[in-house]
Amino acid sequence: MIKVLGIHSSPIKNGNTAWLLDYALKEAEKMDSVETEFITLAGLTIADCKHCNWCMKKQTPDKLCVIEDDADQILHKVQDCDVLILASPVYFSRLSGTMACFIDRTRCFTFGKNGHLALKGKMGVALAVGWCRNLGMETTLASLHGAFLVHEMLAPSCHTAGALYGVGVVSGQRDENFVYKREKLGVKDDHEGLNSTKLLVHEALRMAKKLTVDN
Ligand SMILES: Cc1cc2nc3c(=O)[nH]c(=O)nc-3n(C[C@H](O)[C@H](O)[C@H](O)COP(=O)(O)O)c2cc1C
């Protein structure tokens, strides 16, 4: 069974990023032997990494980080998954602060006493939702992608999907006069973005399954 964990960082629980992540997980479920889990960081208490280095000296399998907050349970799920999908809204041309904060807490896997680079070899998929197509979408994806690379995770590109660092999907949809429509879930109308998401998720699962067979 391939475990796919999707985490999104929009403060809007049923907003565009949440919808896109749900779409990506449903695409994953279409493949055999896949189980998925959806996590929202909205409303959770996730403190900044303190750079105390506790994880380097005292980490145990049960306790990954010294800070006791909502990140604890999620970090265990990250450790347990095969494919990690991180979905962030685009904020000022980068990932959201909530996602950055959560990613910083995954430092317990880079130098943790339980294992150096504990996430190495897992598959990572970056998704971004921006109001505009070219107002920071790819820089947001690059910041998510960079986190995967620091962990020595595998983050597939997909030429057919037109996806290098991941997939950006647009929530701001315009009418025929180039005026923005006030749609709550504009991502649903970005057919190119959704198709690319589907293709990239399928590619990540194809690679994850291949790795499972090869090992
Ligand atoms: C603080 C803030 C900064 C934003 N900066 C950008 C931006 O730089 N580029 C962009 O395309 N959209 C930007 N947006 C718009 C959001 O990315 C967009 O509305 C997206 O759909 C939010 O996802 P959500 O519906 O899941 O919350 C910003 C929104 C907020 C709240």
Side-chain angles (χ1 to χ4, degrees), residues 149-170:
L149 296 187
V150 170
H151 283 298
E152 293 195 13
M153 292 170 66
L154 303 171
S157 62
C158 181
H159 200 275
T160 322
L164 180 63
Y165 298 116
V167 177
V169 183
V170 179

Side-chain angles (χ1 to χ4, degrees), residues 110-215:
T110 52
F111 296 110
K113 193 173 177 226
N114 285 344
H116 179 47
L117 294 175
L119 304 184
K120 185 183 174 88
K122 292 184 191 293
M123 210 60 63
V125 174
L127 300 177
V129 176
W131 184 254
C132 308
R133 191 167 301 282
N134 292 302
L135 204 68
M137 196 74 91
E138 207 154 28
T139 38
T140 299
L141 291 171
S143 55
L144 294 167
H145 186 86
F148 297 144
L149 296 187
V150 170
H151 283 298
E152 293 195 13
M153 292 170 66
L154 303 171
S157 62
C158 181
H159 200 275
T160 322
L164 180 63
Y165 298 116
V167 177
V169 183
V170 179
S171 57
Q173 302 296 330
R174 300 180 196 257
D175 64 19
E176 61 280 4
N177 298 314
F178 212 54
V179 174
Y180 280 115
K181 299 187 259 182
R182 303 308 302 177
E183 281 174 16
K184 189 175 181 303
L185 289 175
V187 277
K188 285 184 178 181
D189 292 335
D190 184 3
H191 301 294
E192 181 174 346
L194 296 183
N195 199 44
S196 296
T197 302
K198 174 174 86 176
L199 292 171
L200 186 63
V201 166
H202 287 189
E203 175 61 11
L205 280 164
R206 188 191 67 76
M207 283 177 65
K209 286 187 176 183
K210 189 171 184 317
L211 282 173
T212 311
V213 170
D214 290 352
N215 296 324

Side-chain angles (χ1 to χ4, degrees), residues 21-208:
L21 179 60
D22 183 58
Y23 173 89
L25 294 178
K26 284 191 174 119
E27 281 303 324
E29 285 162 13
K30 286 180 185 167
M31 300 183 80
D32 290 338
S33 308
V34 169
E35 64 180 37
T36 66
E37 183 168 359
F38 176 106
I39 291 178
T40 174
L41 300 179
L44 301 187
T45 303
I46 297 179
D48 279 322
C49 170
K50 303 191 281 186
H51 201 171
C52 65
N53 293 336
W54 181 94
C55 56
M56 297 171 76
K57 296 170 217 143
K58 298 190 175 164
Q59 185 181 65
T60 66
D62 290 338
K63 193 165 171 61
L64 298 172
C65 173
V66 71
I67 303 170
E68 288 176 3
D69 63 8
D70 295 329
D72 177 57
Q73 205 190 2
I74 306 174
L75 289 169
H76 279 97
K77 289 174 190 280
V78 168
Q79 187 177 37
D80 201 33
C81 79
D82 302 294
V83 179
L84 177 63
I85 303 180
L86 295 181
S88 174
V90 176
Y91 283 177
F92 289 93
S93 77
R94 47 152 174 76
L95 78 180
S96 75
T98 303
M99 181 60 84
C101 193
F102 177 72
I103 288 173
D104 288 356
R105 293 288 294 282
T106 68
R107 183 175 185 264
C108 67
F109 296 121
T110 52
F111 296 110
K113 193 173 177 226
N114 285 344
H116 179 47
L117 294 175
L119 304 184
K120 185 183 174 88
K122 292 184 191 293
M123 210 60 63
V125 174
L127 300 177
V129 176
W131 184 254
C132 308
R133 191 167 301 282
N134 292 302
L135 204 68
M137 196 74 91
E138 207 154 28
T139 38
T140 299
L141 291 171
S143 55
L144 294 167
H145 186 86
F148 297 144
L149 296 187
V150 170
H151 283 298
E152 293 195 13
M153 292 170 66
L154 303 171
S157 62
C158 181
H159 200 275
T160 322
L164 180 63
Y165 298 116
V167 177
V169 183
V170 179
S171 57
Q173 302 296 330
R174 300 180 196 257
D175 64 19
E176 61 280 4
N177 298 314
F178 212 54
V179 174
Y180 280 115
K181 299 187 259 182
R182 303 308 302 177
E183 281 174 16
K184 189 175 181 303
L185 289 175
V187 277
K188 285 184 178 181
D189 292 335
D190 184 3
H191 301 294
E192 181 174 346
L194 296 183
N195 199 44
S196 296
T197 302
K198 174 174 86 176
L199 292 171
L200 186 63
V201 166
H202 287 189
E203 175 61 11
L205 280 164
R206 188 191 67 76
M207 283 177 65

